[in-house]
Amino acid sequence: MNQLAPLTTLLLLTAAMTAQSATLVAHWDLEAGAGTTAADISGNNRDGTIAGGGSPWINSGLPPVPSGTTAALDFDGVDDQINVTGYTGVTGTDDRSISAWIRTTNTGAGQNMGIVSWGSNVTSQKWTFRIQSQNGTAGAIRIEVNGGYFVGNTVVTDGEWHHVAVTWANDGTPDVLDASLFVDGILDARIGSGTEPSASLTRAINTASGADVRIGDDFQATHNFFGSIDDVRIYEGALTDGEVALLAGIPEPSATIFTAFALGLLALRRRR
């Protein structure tokens, strides 16, 4: 009898549990530390150009990115942003996810700050992920589509690094209310989950390709990000809750259990 067969099966199960359900289509790790290029390391050559001037790079006080980080970008809240020319994001009614590490102390009206944005500023055709102050919890994250919005519950304008994410899947009647928001790997808002949004307004989604992806800004001239951003990712497809948790540095429980069990079997076999 092949004693490795059960172990092999468990290892395959572990790999299956940790395989992502969405495709990474852009990843700006912001590791350059100098210059005006935000390199896309996804392999899709969607490099961004850092606009606004000055010296926006920082190399201390960085977020706990699981894969490690040596630099991040500091945005001045006036004109700093990353322009990803030629890339219009995930459009139409296709499933999508965004994740990023952010840190800001901006409060009051200044909490309206773009994290990632694309589309057209027309009803249903905009896709903007940002911090907000207008509806529900001030200082929470928000996804909006022009005419509709979905707002989280956790205040992220406390000067600490936070991992923030939005996932969205088309259930056949594409609406902004189908979004899920996450802060630090924990579900922050989802309708019907028991963790409801602090505010929401229904609106169909049909994201246009009218504007290229921007990081640290959205469609409003006064919504430039003030603070730091690192490790920005866009996915085609909706990440699972566990996959978002992994990006925030929280191990997926099921995968952890399988891995521990497999390693235990391997140790037992070695003792025989």
Side-chain angles (χ1 to χ4, degrees):
M1 178 180 177
N2 183 1
Q3 294 180 337
L4 285 178
L7 177 59
T8 301
T9 300
L10 283 170
L11 290 173
L12 288 172
L13 283 171
T14 300
M17 294 298 295
T18 57
Q20 287 190 324
S21 59
T23 301
L24 183 66
V25 292
H27 181 190
W28 302 277
D29 63 350
L30 304 181
E31 286 290 279
T36 58
T37 298
D40 169 28
I41 64 169
S42 72
N44 293 309
N45 300 313
R46 289 163 175 157
D47 294 350
T49 300
I50 302 166
S55 180
W57 293 99
I58 59 173
N59 55 21
S60 62
L62 300 172
V65 179
S67 58
T69 184
T70 61
L73 278 176
D74 209 35
F75 295 74
D76 65 4
V78 179
D79 58 0
D80 289 352
Q81 63 189 65
I82 300 172
N83 300 314
V84 187
T85 304
Y87 177 49
T88 56
V90 184
T91 57
T93 59
D94 290 347
D95 298 357
R96 64 201 70 171
S97 303
I98 301 173
S99 76
W101 287 89
I102 63 169
R103 178 179 63 184
T104 183
T105 57
N106 225 4
T107 57
Q111 291 178 107
N112 296 312
M113 297 178 287
I115 302 171
V116 181
S117 182
W118 66 81
S120 295
N121 198 13
V122 177
T123 301
S124 298
Q125 297 182 28
K126 177 172 70 172
W127 182 258
T128 292
F129 185 39
R130 67 180 179 92
I131 302 173
Q132 67 97 51
S133 66
Q134 303 105 302
N135 310 101
T137 301
I141 55 175
R142 163 188 181 124
I143 191 71
E144 65 182 30
V145 298
N146 190 324
Y149 52 82
F150 190 85
V151 182
N153 295 280
T154 302
V155 174
V156 296
T157 54
D158 58 358
E160 301 293 331
W161 279 104
H162 294 283
H163 184 265
V164 295
V166 57
T167 66
W168 183 82
N170 183 354
D171 65 356
T173 55
D175 194 288
V176 70
L177 300 188
D178 299 324
S180 296
L181 297 174
F182 300 82
V183 175
D184 298 327
I186 305 298
L187 180 66
D188 194 49
R190 176 186 292 147
I191 288 179
S193 69
T195 305
E196 304 302 311
S198 63
S200 62
L201 179 64
T202 183
R203 181 63 61 181
I205 286 179
N206 188 16
T207 310
S209 57
D212 295 331
V213 169
R214 285 172 287 182
I215 299 169
D217 191 19
D218 66 8
F219 289 88
Q220 305 299 322
T222 58
H223 286 186
N224 287 83
F225 196 88
F226 176 78
S228 305
I229 298 178
D230 200 8
D231 199 61
V232 181
R233 305 174 185 225
I234 297 175
Y235 293 83
E236 288 182 354
L239 293 168
T240 66
D241 293 12
E243 289 166 349
V244 173
L246 284 173
L247 292 176
I250 302 174
E252 198 168 3
S254 53
T256 302
I257 292 169
F258 271 113
T259 302
F261 190 26
L263 291 173
L265 280 180
L266 180 59
L268 180 63
R269 181 179 179 277
R270 285 175 175 171
R271 289 199 296 268
R272 288 179 176 175

